Amino acid sequence: MSAAAATGGTLATAGVGAAGLAAGCAALGGAGWSASYAWLLPLGGVRLEVDALSGLFMAVAGAVVLAVAAYAAGFADRPGSGSPALLPCFCAVLVLIPAAASVSTFLLLWELMAVGSLVLVLGEHRERRAVREAGVWYAVMTQLGFVLLLAGLGLYAARCGGETFAALRAGADGMGPLARGTVFVLLAAAFTSKAGIVPLHAWLPRAYAEAPGPVSALMSATMVNLGVYGIVRFGLDLLGGGSAWWWLGLLAAGGASAVYGVLQAAMAADLKRLLAYSSSENMGLVLIGVGAGGLFAVDGDRRLAGLALAAALLHLVNHSAFKGLLFCAAGSVVRATGVRDLDALGGLRARMPVTAAFFALGALGAVALPPGNGFAGEWLLLQSLIHGLAVPGVATAVVLPLAVAVIALSAGLSAAVFVKALGVGFFARPRGTAAAGAYESPPPVLAGMGLLAAACAGLALFPGMLGPALDRVVRVVGAEPPLGGGAGLRLAAVSAALSPLWVAAALTAAVVGTVTLVRVVARRPRRTGARLWDCGGGAPTPRMAYTATSFAEPLRRVFDQVLAPEQDVSVTPVRESAYLVERVRFRHRVPDRIEHRLYRPVLEAMSWAGRASRRLASGSVHLYLGYGFFGLVSLLVVLAVGW
């Protein structure tokens, strides 16, 4: 790729990000707009409309795209960078999807996003077979989701007699419960697949791990958000909330995804797969908030519904910031070392100090502890669920305590996940030549990470600045705003107040004071170092340190029944005697159990059907004509009976 083309692609991507951020912020401020372009698309034309809900997702996408534009400039000379025009086009689609105001426009942009992301994921398909396999999984899952989306929106538009969102909103009340429930199930399946929710998550760890660094950051920080947008827009806004079982199902799916995702992340030794499963976990937490908000809305508590929905959207914004930063840092590590395996890394803090600092900041947000930016959203989500126990009903009395337990468990396991990633990958000794020879990334890469780090810091210290924006967003779906602006995050529906800025200041003062005190107390005359008698043991080597696999071993034992690990021991005797052992090989892996139990039988059945269908292709023209005649007669019989 020439330097001029790379520069043009970077500027185009940055322009898309800036435009999306400006349009989103304007809509959040109350300046919504709509437009129609009949000549761009046959029959229906292209319809765009931006309100506060659209503006939030556009602003988040625009901010991430703006940071990734600078970050991607450092990858222009790397394999898999692709055409300089493809990335800005993909980013433009990500920004425009929340603005779609008709079924045809939404479907067109959704499919462009799917195809564009697939091409970007396949950037290195010539060099690595794993990329091709990830592309196949992603293509199948995303097209399956599109079929469900097409069926759901087609049924919805047919029942309402129009394809604009205004017509869908007006016609939803005239639909029967069965039709509305069917539409919601189809759309929820399609959108949860895009969000990486269990069990439709199988594409996510593969695609994120094999995609180039900038693409992984965009997919994890923006594309998965659109699955949540679809659920909120269609489920709460256009369909009007529906029945309680809709949202109980979403709560169950979100809880399962949160626990299963963080468990798989705890077992993962691949850095990017670890972050991918963490995305599945965090999208599960967001879905818990959306499900709780829908459940409270059905029960008539609009203020509590607004609180839960605001918590979910606040966590979504925070997740975009810290997960984008984490994937950018992981891409920086892969760029410098060519390695994703944590067991082969280590010592990167000394060799890549800026990248290590940015990864640590993103990890602090991911573990949801103050002063990380992930704390405010999860705390607010917990408060909404706890105060939701006052809502009458058996379902809420059973489901909400379980949801609280899921959030607490996922937060604890998430801390273990990122202690492992940070400690083993960055603070341990180098366990390979690639890690020992690592070097810091160039300034454009660091600049992109710096923008995301600044967003994480701002959201962590001043989460209250999103209060007025979230107020406008929850009004769009008919909920009452629970948040107010000002310093800190005020929970209007809960008698509590937090000030993350004071928490951060107190923690900083405590750390600085402790370090200063230790140095003053430990100040002694200079000593000369000498090697002590070590009983022949020698100095510690990297082989003696914890690896990612050994760090996760205690957790694996605790959750052994859930994870179902596989292990195999093979003993090879020497040729001369069966009693003398030449080699013992031990293999241990923790597979994705859902993929193993759900997807593998389906794939094996499809493979068998494919092999069996080869018998039909005998090469005989007469047989093919018979197939056609039989198909035509069958179609005529079906039409005659149906008529």
Side-chain angles (χ1 to χ4, degrees), residues 418-639:
F418 285 97
V419 167
K420 178 186 77 172
L422 192 62
V424 175
F426 290 87
F427 288 96
R429 292 189 176 190
R431 286 178 295 277
T433 56
Y439 53 89
E440 190 58 270
S441 294
V445 174
L446 300 181
M449 289 192 289
L451 291 174
L452 291 170
C456 288
L459 291 169
L461 298 177
F462 307 103
M465 64 183 177
L466 292 178
L470 292 176
D471 287 352
R472 294 188 178 92
V473 171
V474 299
R475 286 194 185 98
V476 172
V477 298
E480 293 185 10
L483 300 178
L489 181 61
R490 295 185 176 87
L491 313 183
V494 185
S495 57
L498 298 174
S499 181
L501 184 59
W502 283 107
V503 173
L507 288 175
T508 303
V511 171
V512 172
T514 302
V515 172
T516 303
L517 181 62
V518 169
R519 290 193 174 186
V520 170
V521 172
R523 185 178 297 171
R524 296 178 180 177
R526 183 178 179 182
R527 297 179 179 180
T528 302
R531 184 175 177 181
L532 298 176
W533 173 249
D534 54 18
C535 302
T541 66
R543 288 179 58 85
M544 301 177 184
Y546 266 94
T547 63
T549 304
S550 59
F551 186 93
E553 180 67 14
L555 287 175
R556 185 195 65 78
R557 292 180 181 273
V558 172
F559 296 97
D560 190 75
Q561 297 298 320
V562 177
L563 296 169
E566 298 176 354
Q567 62 184 32
D568 176 60
V569 180
S570 60
V571 180
T572 304
V574 298
R575 184 173 301 177
E576 292 79 8
S577 173
Y579 298 99
L580 300 178
V581 177
E582 178 183 3
R583 182 174 63 250
V584 177
R585 176 175 294 178
F586 176 77
R587 299 177 181 175
H588 180 273
R589 61 187 295 265
V590 181
D592 190 321
R593 190 173 186 181
I594 292 179
E595 179 183 319
H596 183 74
R597 297 292 180 89
L598 177 62
Y599 290 97
R600 183 174 294 182
V602 173
L603 292 175
E604 290 176 352
M606 293 177 65
S607 178
W608 177 85
R611 290 192 300 268
S613 65
R614 292 179 181 177
R615 302 173 185 175
L616 301 176
S618 62
S620 171
V621 177
H622 300 86
L623 188 60
Y624 296 158
L625 290 174
Y627 293 157
F629 177 75
F630 178 76
L632 179 60
V633 171
S634 300
L635 179 62
L636 292 175
V637 169
V638 170
L639 291 176

Side-chain angles (χ1 to χ4, degrees), residues 1-15 84-85 88:
M1 183 189 303
S2 66
T7 302
T10 300
L11 293 176
T13 305

Side-chain angles (χ1 to χ4, degrees), residues 145-191:
F146 183 75
V147 169
L148 295 173
L149 184 64
L150 181 62
L153 291 181
L155 175 61
Y156 193 7
R159 289 303 181 98
C160 294
E163 65 132 12
T164 65
F165 283 6
L168 298 181
R169 188 180 291 109
D173 292 335
M175 297 173 60
L178 179 60
R180 293 176 71 187
T182 303
V183 168
F184 180 80
V185 169
L186 291 172
L187 297 183
F191 291 133

Side-chain angles (χ1 to χ4, degrees), residues 312-332:
L313 295 178
L314 178 60
H315 188 65
L316 181 142
V317 174
N318 286 322
H319 174 259
S320 295
F322 68 69
K323 192 54 61 65
L325 178 58
L326 286 169
F327 265 105
C328 285
S332 177

Side-chain angles (χ1 to χ4, degrees), residues 26 30 48 417 488 503 538 564 573:
L48 303 175
V417 167
V503 173

